[in-house]
């Protein structure tokens, strides 16, 4: 999985008897298989490095474009035989757009790049399953406006943009950029993540237990992450688990659209900013304090210890 504009890398392992054979990369097309890279055919954005000590060659694709997605075949050319190749393994490269993270009430731009050959094709932006009735479509017009959504097509830059104003929780979710072709539809997708303005500010003491309720619309995507910015917690619209602690547990009530995070035996280092939810995210500021009343008791007992050793035992029992 790689975002548009990023660099994709993958590795292919070969056996010792192919160590000196030229390495080749193919890509599957609709009706054929195309040679993408070899010693005699080199694409500008593709490069291959061969580590003969590890029997591994690595493929690097820079400035990934939407049409780079697909199925790649790693192979070697068997010397002495004109059209004889040995396929090592298959790699599925999925190209998507980086998630869009915005606050409630702000505007969000969903930028959809497309190949220049689709310049005259109909463009659509839709949410969810992208059925015909869900689509907001650009046809011959360069701009389309509905309630809070504006679609604009820049044919020169090969990009169409959907701008949503006054974001609400209902706007959050998975969006598809679609180009309608003769036989099918070419898709790219992104996730719009909306941070709610209402925050949770919690103050607890060390040793306490606590529960936090988080909203979600998608039972397959839940996020609870400790980070200064929510973008650190999200990749491809899926939460990155950053908490590995037995004191944290989760319980889910899918029908209510809420999941609960339970934390036991709080510690001062648990203090910080958390993000919880799914496509709808709530900011949680947790401040865990030391219980100074315990220090007062210990201090009193320590003082009594100076007076008489038996008194401190009685103090701790009480």
């Amino acid at each position: 999985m790689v975002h548009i504009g990023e660099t994709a890398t993958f590795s292919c392992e070969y056996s010792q008897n192919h160590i000196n054979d030229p390495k080749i990369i193919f890509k599957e097309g609709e009706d054929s298989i195309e040679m993408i890279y070899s010693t005699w055919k080199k694409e500008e954005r593709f490069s291959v490095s061969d580590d003969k000590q590890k029997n591994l060659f690595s493929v690097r694709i820079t400035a990934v474009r939407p049409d780079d997605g697909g199925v790649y075949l790693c192979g070697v050319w068997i010397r002495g035989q004109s059209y004889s190749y040995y396929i090592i393994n298959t790699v599925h490269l999925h190209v998507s757009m980086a998630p869009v993270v915005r606050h409630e009430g702000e505007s969000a731009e969903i930028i959809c790049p497309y190949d220049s050959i689709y310049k005259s094709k109909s463009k659509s932006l839709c949410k969810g399953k992208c059925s015909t009735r869900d689509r907001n479509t650009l046809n011959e017009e360069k701009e389309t406006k509905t309630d809070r959504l504006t679609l604009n097509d820049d044919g020169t830059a090969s990009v169409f943009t959907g701008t949503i104003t006054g974001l609400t929780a209902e706007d959050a979710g998975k969006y598809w950029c679609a180009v309608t072709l003769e036989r099918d539809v070419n898709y790219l997708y992104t996730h719009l993540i909306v941070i709610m303005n209402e925050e949770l500010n919690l103050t607890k003491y060390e040793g306490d237990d606590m529960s936090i309720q988080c909203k979600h619309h998608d039972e397959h995507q839940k996020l609870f992450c400790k980070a200064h910015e929510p973008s650190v917690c999200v990749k491809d619209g899926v939460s990155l688990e950053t908490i590995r602690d037995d004191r944290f547990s989760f319980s889910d009530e899918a029908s209510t659209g809420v999941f609960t995070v339970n934390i036991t035996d709080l510690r001062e280092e648990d203090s910080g900013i958390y993000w919880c939810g799914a496509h709808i995210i709530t900011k949680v500021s947790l401040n865990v304090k030391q219980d100074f009343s315990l220090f007062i008791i210990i201090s009193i007992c320590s003082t009594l210890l100076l007076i008489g050793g038996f008194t401190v035992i009685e103090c701790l029992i009480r």
Side-chain angles (χ1 to χ4, degrees):
M1 184 73 71
V2 64
H3 290 152
I4 293 171
E6 293 182 345
T7 297
T9 58
F10 55 88
S11 298
C12 307
E13 186 176 2
Y14 54 85
S15 61
Q16 183 67 24
N17 58 323
H18 293 301
I19 191 169
N20 292 317
D21 291 333
K23 310 307 182 292
I24 299 175
I25 302 296
F26 295 96
K27 185 182 179 185
E28 290 186 0
E30 290 185 8
D31 304 311
S32 62
I33 296 177
E34 178 187 1
M35 183 183 293
I36 298 296
Y37 183 95
S38 69
T39 55
W40 56 90
K41 180 183 180 181
K42 296 184 179 180
E43 294 285 347
E44 181 182 353
R45 295 178 301 108
F46 287 72
S47 61
V48 171
S49 59
D50 191 1
D51 188 339
K52 294 185 177 182
Q53 291 185 338
K54 295 182 179 179
N55 289 7
L56 197 74
F57 72 92
S58 300
V59 182
R60 178 183 173 91
I61 310 172
T62 59
V64 166
R65 303 188 302 224
D67 56 349
D68 289 329
V71 179
Y72 290 84
L73 307 174
C74 299
V76 296
W77 173 52
I78 301 175
R79 293 180 182 274
Q81 302 182 41
S82 299
Y83 299 102
S84 185
Y85 306 104
Y86 179 78
I87 302 303
I88 299 168
N89 66 345
T90 303
V91 177
H92 294 256
L93 180 62
H94 299 275
V95 178
S96 67
M97 298 181 293
V100 179
V101 182
R102 294 291 184 272
H103 284 83
E104 181 183 12
E106 292 182 344
S107 296
E109 284 191 344
I110 298 176
I111 300 173
C112 303
Y114 57 87
D115 195 291
S116 58
I117 62 174
Y118 302 142
K119 183 177 180 179
S120 61
K121 303 299 181 182
S122 176
K123 320 294 191 313
S124 301
L125 180 69
C126 50
K127 181 182 177 185
K129 295 182 178 180
C130 207
S131 61
T132 304
R133 63 182 178 83
D134 293 329
R135 292 183 189 174
N136 292 284
T137 305
L138 278 164
N139 293 307
E140 299 302 322
E141 301 177 6
K142 293 299 180 183
E143 183 173 280
T144 300
K145 288 187 177 180
T146 59
D147 187 18
R148 292 180 298 111
L149 172 65
T150 300
L151 292 178
N152 184 275
D153 186 12
D154 184 347
T156 304
S158 298
V159 166
F160 73 94
T161 304
T163 303
I164 307 171
T165 60
L167 288 174
T168 66
E170 286 70 29
D171 296 321
K174 187 175 185 178
Y175 284 79
W176 294 91
C177 300
V179 179
T180 305
L181 308 177
E182 284 76 9
R183 291 185 296 172
D184 54 10
V185 177
N186 182 275
Y187 292 104
L188 274 175
Y189 69 85
T190 188
H191 294 266
L192 175 57
I193 297 168
V194 178
I195 302 171
M196 305 308 293
N197 290 333
E198 185 178 355
E199 301 177 3
L200 288 177
N201 293 288
L202 305 173
T203 300
K204 297 290 181 180
Y205 290 97
E206 284 191 317
D208 286 351
D209 298 339
M210 66 174 293
S211 296
I212 303 171
Q213 288 193 325
C214 306
K215 296 179 181 178
H216 71 90
H217 283 178
D218 187 341
E219 64 182 38
H220 300 296
Q221 293 190 12
K222 303 178 185 66
L223 180 151
F224 188 78
C225 169
K226 184 179 183 182
H228 186 66
E229 294 292 338
S231 57
V232 177
C233 302
V234 179
K235 181 175 175 59
D236 307 315
V238 181
S239 64
L240 298 177
E241 294 291 345
T242 60
I243 298 173
R244 295 283 188 271
D245 196 319
D246 293 339
R247 296 179 298 113
F248 290 74
S249 62
F250 302 85
S251 57
D252 188 13
E253 297 179 19
S255 60
T256 64
V258 172
F259 69 94
T260 303
V261 181
N262 303 298
I263 312 173
T264 60
D265 189 23
L266 284 169
R267 302 167 186 171
E268 192 174 11
E269 59 264 28
D270 294 328
S271 297
I273 297 174
Y274 294 82
W275 306 91
C276 75
H279 286 114
I280 304 168
I281 297 180
T282 300
K283 180 180 179 180
V284 180
S285 296
L286 175 60
N287 182 21
V288 181
K289 296 182 176 180
Q290 292 181 332
D291 191 347
F292 288 103
S293 62
L294 178 61
F295 288 104
I296 293 172
I297 294 172
I298 293 173
S299 178
I300 293 172
C301 292
S302 298
T303 303
L304 291 173
L305 178 61
L306 296 175
I307 300 172
F310 294 103
T311 310
V312 71
I313 297 173
E314 181 184 358
C315 176
L316 291 175
I317 291 172
R318 288 182 181 177

